[in-house]
Amino acid sequence: MLRIHFTSEDLARTRIATTADPLWEIALSMYRLMGRRGGSAFAVWRSRTRHDLARTGGTAAVRRVLAPLFPSTSSYFPDFLTPPDGVLGLDAGVDAVLSTPRRLLRRELDKLAGRTGTPSWAWGLADGRRDAFHDLRHGLHTYFDTAIAPYWPDIHSMVDADRAVRGRAFLDGGAGGMLAGFRPIMRWEPPVLSMDHPVDRDVHLGGRGVVLIPSYFCWGAPVPLADPELPQVLVYPIQRVQPSAATKELPTSGAPVARLLGPTRAAILRATVDGATTGELARRQRIHASGVSQHTKVLREAGLIVSRRTGAQVLHTITPLGAALLAGATAGRPA
């Protein structure tokens, strides 16, 4: 069990990350790829990713470089692989990984060696060897490009939908109300947030607050950093739907888009930019909720919105594809 202790200052400094973190998605997807947890939920993605890695020649790099750093037999992996800069994008995150001070690299690699073993090439990181840094950069980019980048727009959409739900909970009940909304994966009993964890421990934030990072590839319980002295983050699983790239290609015939040309449906799509419930859409468009549900079903099937149930309500948020369609329509209007 993990127990995170908050003060009033911690609550004021607690926030949700603005987007998915590519380095955390790399780390957690490695466990989905190499291990068995989340088997059925990620079966299609796992099969396609293994095929694509083999086709592009990335399998060897993943097995030699990344797999030993994210051992499927242990929940521990080095914290330096998921620096805060990851939310700024993959390039910024990888640069931060490779800029980790050598003393910290050695300390975390020593810890990994004591649990599951450290690959021989990785000691070169602590020794400042260029070939080791090249191998890690190449491994991270190769894996991301093959295993995650094809699904990134869908992951981004699902994270945005989750953030919309958390944001509404925050507006209704403050930070405490938002934390309470994470049941059942986390339990908020002020001033302690508790959750399942392989190791029984307490983390006292001491005014640092915590950054909550929504993740597509996180499964089951949230994941904290191993070192409680670092600025704290907590990665939690979002509600997933199957990414379109993992199940079918986006439609190219234009038929689903043609069905969106009606004024009511276009207005509903615009209203989902900031997130809106079925009831809110019905009030704004002055139509019955059943009619809204028909429109949102078409938008969802076309990949233009994501719908997520929260309590008795369904919250609809626009996807990058939907936003691009709106942007294109706006750009094409005559002055």
Side-chain angles (χ1 to χ4, degrees):
M1 182 71 70
L2 172 66
R3 294 169 293 274
I4 302 178
H5 298 257
F6 287 73
T7 65
S8 57
E9 189 175 2
D10 292 314
L11 287 173
R13 292 184 174 179
T14 292
R15 62 184 181 87
I16 302 282
T18 56
T19 186
D21 185 318
L23 292 178
W24 274 105
E25 297 300 340
I26 287 174
L28 296 171
S29 68
M30 281 296 300
Y31 283 94
R32 306 291 81 81
L33 182 68
M34 308 301 292
R36 295 183 178 181
R37 295 193 66 199
S40 59
F42 295 97
V44 174
W45 169 84
R46 183 184 292 108
S47 175
R48 176 168 289 192
T49 296
R50 287 174 176 170
H51 173 269
D52 290 345
L53 285 170
R55 177 178 53 83
T56 59
T59 302
V62 168
R63 286 179 176 172
R64 187 181 78 86
V65 176
L66 295 188
L69 297 177
F70 304 103
S72 59
T73 57
S74 172
S75 61
Y76 173 78
F77 60 88
D79 287 330
F80 77 83
L81 294 167
T82 52
D85 307 66
V87 295
L88 302 177
L90 181 64
D91 289 337
V94 172
D95 286 344
V97 169
L98 301 181
S99 299
T100 305
R102 289 168 60 179
R103 59 175 177 77
L104 181 57
L105 286 169
R106 183 165 294 278
R107 186 177 74 189
E108 295 197 359
L109 290 173
D110 281 338
K111 187 182 295 186
L112 181 64
R115 299 196 180 196
T116 58
T118 295
S120 58
W121 72 267
W123 293 113
L125 296 172
D127 295 334
R129 289 174 46 183
R130 289 186 178 181
D131 60 332
F133 286 105
H134 174 271
D135 287 349
L136 183 53
R137 181 186 293 276
H138 176 71
L140 291 169
H141 276 281
T142 297
Y143 180 77
F144 181 86
D145 290 344
T146 304
I148 298 177
Y151 315 100
W152 194 246
D154 291 313
I155 292 171
H156 182 74
S157 300
M158 285 179 266
V159 166
D160 279 353
D162 184 273
R163 293 185 76 250
V165 171
R166 308 303 173 191
R168 284 176 173 248
F170 182 89
L171 290 173
D172 290 341
M178 179 183 69
L179 294 175
F182 279 101
R183 283 185 176 271
I185 60 171
M186 293 187 275
R187 297 164 293 283
W188 173 241
E189 297 173 342
V192 179
L193 184 68
S194 60
M195 65 213 70
D196 293 337
H197 192 62
V199 179
D200 189 70
R201 70 176 190 174
D202 290 87
V203 173
H204 294 267
L205 296 175
R208 292 173 295 171
V210 63
V211 179
L212 296 157
I213 302 178
S215 168
Y216 178 80
F217 286 102
C218 187
W219 179 259
V223 180
L225 291 171
D227 186 350
E229 300 305 316
L230 291 173
Q232 287 300 289
V233 303
L234 191 63
V235 184
Y236 67 89
I238 62 171
Q239 182 178 349
R240 289 169 296 274
V241 296
Q242 194 70 269
S244 59
T247 55
K248 60 181 180 179
E249 299 300 324
L250 289 174
T252 57
S253 66
V257 174
R259 294 166 64 190
L260 300 175
L261 297 180
T264 300
R265 198 167 293 155
I268 288 175
L269 180 61
R270 284 193 293 271
T272 63
V273 170
D274 296 318
T277 65
T278 300
E280 290 169 344
L281 293 172
R283 288 191 294 273
R284 292 178 191 179
Q285 301 305 315
R286 298 181 180 179
I287 59 177
H288 290 296
S290 59
V292 170
S293 296
Q294 293 175 4
H295 289 302
T296 55
K297 181 176 184 291
V298 173
L299 293 167
R300 188 166 53 251
E301 289 176 346
L304 302 178
I305 66 170
V306 171
S307 301
R308 171 172 175 171
R309 179 166 294 280
T310 171
Q313 298 179 323
V314 177
L315 183 66
H316 310 282
T317 55
I318 198 166
T319 67
L321 180 61
L325 180 66
L326 284 183
T330 302
R333 289 176 184 168

Short mmCIF file of all heavy atoms in Angstrom, two decimals, residues 30 63 79-80 86 107 110 130 133 136 149 163 178-179 196 211 220 246 255 273 296 305 322 333:
data_model
loop_
_atom_site.label_atom_id
_atom_site.label_comp_id
_atom_site.label_asym_id
_atom_site.label_seq_id
_atom_site.Cartn_x
_atom_site.Cartn_y
_atom_site.Cartn_z
N MET A 30 6.29 -0.68 -22.25
CA MET A 30 7.26 -1.77 -22.25
C MET A 30 6.77 -2.91 -21.37
O MET A 30 6.93 -4.09 -21.69
CB MET A 30 8.62 -1.28 -21.76
CG MET A 30 9.44 -0.54 -22.80
SD MET A 30 9.91 -1.59 -24.20
CE MET A 30 10.87 -2.86 -23.37
N ARG A 63 15.15 -5.29 -27.25
CA ARG A 63 15.54 -6.37 -26.36
C ARG A 63 16.87 -6.08 -25.66
O ARG A 63 17.05 -6.37 -24.47
CB ARG A 63 15.65 -7.67 -27.13
CG ARG A 63 14.28 -8.26 -27.51
CD ARG A 63 14.45 -9.55 -28.31
NE ARG A 63 13.15 -10.15 -28.58
CZ ARG A 63 12.99 -11.19 -29.38
NH1 ARG A 63 14.04 -11.76 -29.99
NH2 ARG A 63 11.77 -11.69 -29.59
N ASP A 79 14.43 6.02 -12.08
CA ASP A 79 13.68 7.27 -12.20
C ASP A 79 14.25 8.19 -13.28
O ASP A 79 13.49 9.01 -13.83
CB ASP A 79 13.70 8.02 -10.86
CG ASP A 79 12.80 7.38 -9.82
OD1 ASP A 79 11.78 6.76 -10.20
OD2 ASP A 79 13.11 7.50 -8.61
N PHE A 80 15.53 8.08 -13.59
CA PHE A 80 16.10 9.02 -14.57
C PHE A 80 15.51 8.82 -15.96
O PHE A 80 15.64 9.70 -16.82
CB PHE A 80 17.63 8.90 -14.61
CG PHE A 80 18.18 7.71 -15.36
CD1 PHE A 80 18.32 7.73 -16.73
CD2 PHE A 80 18.60 6.57 -14.67
CE1 PHE A 80 18.84 6.63 -17.42
CE2 PHE A 80 19.13 5.48 -15.34
CZ PHE A 80 19.24 5.51 -16.72
N GLY A 86 9.63 15.31 -19.85
CA GLY A 86 8.91 14.50 -20.80
C GLY A 86 7.62 15.13 -21.29
O GLY A 86 7.22 14.92 -22.44
N ARG A 107 24.04 5.74 -9.26
CA ARG A 107 23.26 5.35 -8.09
C ARG A 107 22.02 4.55 -8.48
O ARG A 107 21.71 3.51 -7.88
CB ARG A 107 22.84 6.60 -7.31
CG ARG A 107 22.14 6.28 -5.98
CD ARG A 107 21.81 7.55 -5.23
NE ARG A 107 20.69 8.25 -5.84
CZ ARG A 107 20.30 9.48 -5.49
NH1 ARG A 107 20.98 10.14 -4.57
NH2 ARG A 107 19.26 10.03 -6.08
N ASP A 110 23.02 1.16 -9.95
CA ASP A 110 23.38 0.26 -8.84
C ASP A 110 22.13 -0.35 -8.22
O ASP A 110 22.10 -1.54 -7.88
CB ASP A 110 24.17 1.02 -7.77
CG ASP A 110 25.63 1.23 -8.15
OD1 ASP A 110 26.13 0.47 -9.00
OD2 ASP A 110 26.27 2.15 -7.60
N ARG A 130 30.05 7.84 -25.16
CA ARG A 130 29.15 8.31 -26.20
C ARG A 130 28.33 7.18 -26.81
O ARG A 130 27.17 7.38 -27.17
CB ARG A 130 29.95 9.02 -27.30
CG ARG A 130 30.53 10.37 -26.86
CD ARG A 130 31.19 11.07 -28.03
NE ARG A 130 31.71 12.38 -27.64
CZ ARG A 130 32.31 13.21 -28.48
NH1 ARG A 130 32.47 12.86 -29.76
NH2 ARG A 130 32.75 14.37 -28.06
N PHE A 133 25.26 6.51 -24.71
CA PHE A 133 24.23 7.54 -24.88
C PHE A 133 23.55 7.41 -26.24
O PHE A 133 22.34 7.59 -26.36
CB PHE A 133 24.84 8.93 -24.71
CG PHE A 133 25.18 9.28 -23.29
CD1 PHE A 133 26.49 9.27 -22.85
CD2 PHE A 133 24.18 9.60 -22.38
CE1 PHE A 133 26.80 9.59 -21.54
CE2 PHE A 133 24.48 9.91 -21.07
CZ PHE A 133 25.80 9.90 -20.64
N LEU A 136 21.04 4.49 -26.11
CA LEU A 136 19.81 4.79 -25.38
C LEU A 136 18.93 5.74 -26.18
O LEU A 136 17.71 5.53 -26.27
CB LEU A 136 20.14 5.39 -24.01
CG LEU A 136 18.93 5.70 -23.11
CD1 LEU A 136 18.05 4.47 -22.94
CD2 LEU A 136 19.39 6.22 -21.76
N ALA A 149 3.98 6.22 -31.53
CA ALA A 149 3.64 7.34 -32.42
C ALA A 149 2.41 7.08 -33.29
O ALA A 149 1.58 7.99 -33.47
CB ALA A 149 4.84 7.68 -33.29
N ARG A 163 -8.71 14.59 -18.69
CA ARG A 163 -8.43 15.87 -18.06
C ARG A 163 -9.71 16.71 -17.93
O ARG A 163 -9.89 17.44 -16.94
CB ARG A 163 -7.38 16.65 -18.82
CG ARG A 163 -6.00 16.03 -18.78
CD ARG A 163 -4.95 16.91 -19.44
NE ARG A 163 -4.60 18.02 -18.58
CZ ARG A 163 -4.92 19.29 -18.82
NH1 ARG A 163 -5.62 19.61 -19.90
NH2 ARG A 163 -4.55 20.26 -17.98
N MET A 178 -11.43 16.59 -6.60
CA MET A 178 -10.79 15.92 -7.73
C MET A 178 -10.14 14.62 -7.28
O MET A 178 -10.30 13.58 -7.94
CB MET A 178 -9.73 16.83 -8.34
CG MET A 178 -8.98 16.22 -9.52
SD MET A 178 -7.67 17.29 -10.17
CE MET A 178 -6.49 17.23 -8.80
N LEU A 179 -9.43 14.64 -6.17
CA LEU A 179 -8.79 13.42 -5.67
C LEU A 179 -9.82 12.36 -5.30
O LEU A 179 -9.61 11.17 -5.54
CB LEU A 179 -7.89 13.74 -4.48
CG LEU A 179 -6.67 14.62 -4.77
CD1 LEU A 179 -5.94 14.96 -3.47
CD2 LEU A 179 -5.72 13.93 -5.74
N ASP A 196 -3.06 0.81 -4.00
CA ASP A 196 -2.29 -0.43 -4.01
C ASP A 196 -0.89 -0.15 -4.55
O ASP A 196 -0.71 0.65 -5.47
CB ASP A 196 -2.98 -1.48 -4.88
CG ASP A 196 -4.30 -1.94 -4.29
OD1 ASP A 196 -4.47 -1.80 -3.07
OD2 ASP A 196 -5.15 -2.43 -5.06
N VAL A 211 2.26 16.16 -9.21
CA VAL A 211 1.73 16.25 -10.57
C VAL A 211 1.11 14.91 -10.94
O VAL A 211 1.79 13.88 -10.91
CB VAL A 211 2.83 16.62 -11.59
CG1 VAL A 211 2.24 16.67 -13.01
CG2 VAL A 211 3.48 17.95 -11.24
N GLY A 220 -4.00 -0.89 -13.97
CA GLY A 220 -4.24 -1.25 -12.58
C GLY A 220 -4.00 -0.08 -11.65
O GLY A 220 -4.73 0.91 -11.68
N ALA A 246 -5.03 0.88 -33.99
CA ALA A 246 -4.82 -0.50 -33.55
C ALA A 246 -5.93 -1.43 -34.03
O ALA A 246 -5.80 -2.64 -33.96
CB ALA A 246 -4.73 -0.56 -32.03
N ALA A 255 -17.20 9.49 -46.54
CA ALA A 255 -18.61 9.35 -46.18
C ALA A 255 -18.89 9.80 -44.76
O ALA A 255 -19.85 10.56 -44.54
CB ALA A 255 -19.05 7.90 -46.38
N VAL A 273 -15.21 21.27 -27.92
CA VAL A 273 -13.82 21.73 -27.83
C VAL A 273 -13.38 21.81 -26.37
O VAL A 273 -12.25 21.41 -26.01
CB VAL A 273 -13.65 23.10 -28.52
CG1 VAL A 273 -12.29 23.69 -28.22
CG2 VAL A 273 -13.83 22.93 -30.03
N THR A 296 -23.78 12.50 -31.48
CA THR A 296 -22.47 12.19 -30.90
C THR A 296 -22.01 10.79 -31.30
O THR A 296 -20.81 10.54 -31.42
CB THR A 296 -22.51 12.31 -29.37
OG1 THR A 296 -23.56 11.49 -28.83
CG2 THR A 296 -22.71 13.76 -28.94
N ILE A 305 -14.74 12.80 -31.91
CA ILE A 305 -14.89 13.06 -30.48
C ILE A 305 -14.62 11.78 -29.70
O ILE A 305 -14.64 10.68 -30.26
CB ILE A 305 -16.30 13.60 -30.10
CG1 ILE A 305 -17.36 12.53 -30.35
CG2 ILE A 305 -16.61 14.90 -30.84
CD1 ILE A 305 -18.73 12.91 -29.76
N GLY A 322 -10.95 15.88 -35.05
CA GLY A 322 -12.09 16.79 -35.04
C GLY A 322 -11.66 18.24 -35.03
O GLY A 322 -12.24 19.09 -35.72
N ARG A 333 -13.55 29.36 -44.88
CA ARG A 333 -14.68 30.26 -44.99
C ARG A 333 -14.27 31.54 -45.74
O ARG A 333 -13.19 32.08 -45.52
CB ARG A 333 -15.19 30.64 -43.60
CG ARG A 333 -15.89 29.50 -42.89
CD ARG A 333 -16.27 29.93 -41.48
NE ARG A 333 -16.86 28.82 -40.75
CZ ARG A 333 -17.08 28.84 -39.44
NH1 ARG A 333 -16.75 29.92 -38.74
NH2 ARG A 333 -17.63 27.81 -38.83
#
